[in-house]
Amino acid sequence: GSILESLFSIGDEAIKGLAQSEYKKWKFQDLGLPASLQKRSLDGEEYLPEYPYRDDGLLVWAALVDFMREYVRIYYSSDQAVMDDKELQAWYIEALKVGHQHLYEGPDAPEPDPLIDINTLCKILVYLVWTTSAQNTAITRGNYEAYGFVANRPACLHAPLPREKGTCTQETFMKMLPNRGETTTLCTFMAWMSAQTPLAEPILGVQGEEHILDPEALDAYDRFQDALRTIQHSIHTRNNSRGLAYDYLLPGKITNGVAH
């Protein structure tokens, strides 16, 4: 197994089984921030009035939605244009049949429905861009902050948890924690995961290469960059009044992809 898998008590096979079990319950819509927040009852402020990941994330999410709608409509003027694009349809079907092969195996398995409209295409693209940029950054950049002090979030325990209140002593607590070697490996791995290396460039909203050349598309991209600058200012303002600044969804720190 990988370095990370070796740090968990349950081992490689159990991790694979857990991943397979969770994957059966997974839905593509869960990649969307609003759906994810709603699923966890975190979409409102009644239970958690201040939740920077939600509050800042929704600003970035809205900017991605606006940009993607404008950008896609430059090249697809109607739903029929989406359905007539054979290359797009082939990409979509391949993503379903190869990426989620178990859903379409067997003689009685259904054929995936084609991509039929602009709105669905925009949603798919927003989900993908959000997951590989803002979501990835928010998850990885805070790893060392969470795991750097092993007692805060140990990756494994070497003794059963106490069953009765008041029976845990410092000695029993220390016996549960990972040893020095495991702690060093975990902290090193999480420090690497949290760091932003040159491979992580470019930042969201900044072209590393000149991929967008059409004048209309460039105008849409400029408006997207303006929106991100406005969000950057809004988050800085929010951080001034927060007890602890939350920088993980600042557009200037969101990497444009999952490369570390």
Side-chain angles (χ1 to χ4, degrees):
S2 67
I3 293 175
L4 186 60
E5 289 169 339
S6 69
L7 294 172
F8 289 91
S9 304
I10 60 176
D12 293 0
E13 292 304 315
I15 288 176
K16 292 176 184 176
L18 180 62
Q20 290 170 350
S21 175
E22 289 301 308
Y23 176 66
K24 291 177 181 177
K25 297 181 285 185
W26 178 82
K27 295 180 180 179
F28 183 73
Q29 291 83 349
D30 293 342
L31 294 179
L33 177 61
S36 174
L37 292 171
Q38 185 177 35
K39 186 177 180 179
R40 294 179 289 136
S41 299
L42 294 173
D43 51 328
E45 298 183 356
E46 59 271 22
Y47 299 118
L48 205 56
E50 185 176 331
Y51 185 24
Y53 167 76
R54 172 196 63 207
D55 303 334
D56 298 351
L58 287 173
L59 295 179
V60 178
W61 176 268
L64 284 172
V65 170
D66 290 344
F67 170 62
M68 207 58 69
R69 284 175 176 168
E70 185 176 4
Y71 186 85
V72 168
R73 288 184 181 277
I74 294 172
Y75 301 99
Y76 297 97
S77 59
S78 66
D79 293 339
Q80 189 62 48
V82 171
M83 290 187 283
D84 290 342
D85 188 332
K86 292 182 172 57
E87 188 173 357
L88 175 66
Q89 294 293 338
W91 167 79
Y92 178 69
I93 296 300
E94 181 180 349
L96 293 177
K97 297 186 74 170
V98 177
H100 305 278
Q101 189 175 12
H102 71 287
L103 298 176
Y104 303 100
E105 289 181 324
D108 299 325
E111 280 296 312
D113 294 326
L115 186 57
I116 60 172
D117 58 64
I118 293 174
N119 286 337
T120 302
L121 175 59
C122 288
K123 285 181 181 179
I124 291 171
L125 295 177
V126 171
Y127 289 169
L128 295 177
V129 173
W130 164 263
T131 301
T132 57
S133 60
Q135 176 75 341
N136 177 68
T137 301
I139 290 173
T140 58
R141 294 294 176 257
N143 275 329
Y144 186 74
E145 187 175 342
Y147 288 93
F149 177 53
V150 68
N152 180 57
R153 186 175 290 184
C156 63
L157 295 176
H158 293 301
L161 292 171
R163 297 295 182 182
E164 296 180 11
K165 189 174 181 178
T167 60
C168 183
T169 65
Q170 182 173 337
E171 182 181 1
T172 57
F173 180 70
M174 294 300 294
K175 285 182 178 180
M176 287 190 290
L177 294 180
N179 59 41
R180 290 181 182 180
E182 291 166 334
T183 298
T184 301
T185 302
L186 176 66
C187 290
T188 302
F189 182 81
M190 291 306 175
W192 175 78
M193 285 287 290
S194 300
Q196 183 170 319
T197 70
L199 290 176
E201 302 291 349
I203 299 300
L204 181 67
V206 178
Q207 291 193 70
E209 300 177 24
E210 296 298 326
H211 292 303
I212 299 178
L213 301 174
D214 296 345
E216 282 187 87
L218 285 170
D219 288 342
Y221 198 71
D222 287 342
R223 282 187 283 275
F224 178 50
Q225 291 177 311
D226 288 340
L228 293 178
R229 282 190 283 269
T230 300
I231 293 170
Q232 180 97 354
H233 177 74
S234 297
I235 294 176
H236 278 309
T237 302
R238 289 175 173 179
N239 280 339
N240 289 334
S241 61
R242 287 168 174 164
L244 184 65
Y246 184 81
D247 294 336
Y248 300 134
L249 284 172
L250 278 169
K253 293 189 176 183
I254 296 174
T255 52
N256 194 19
V258 296
H260 191 67

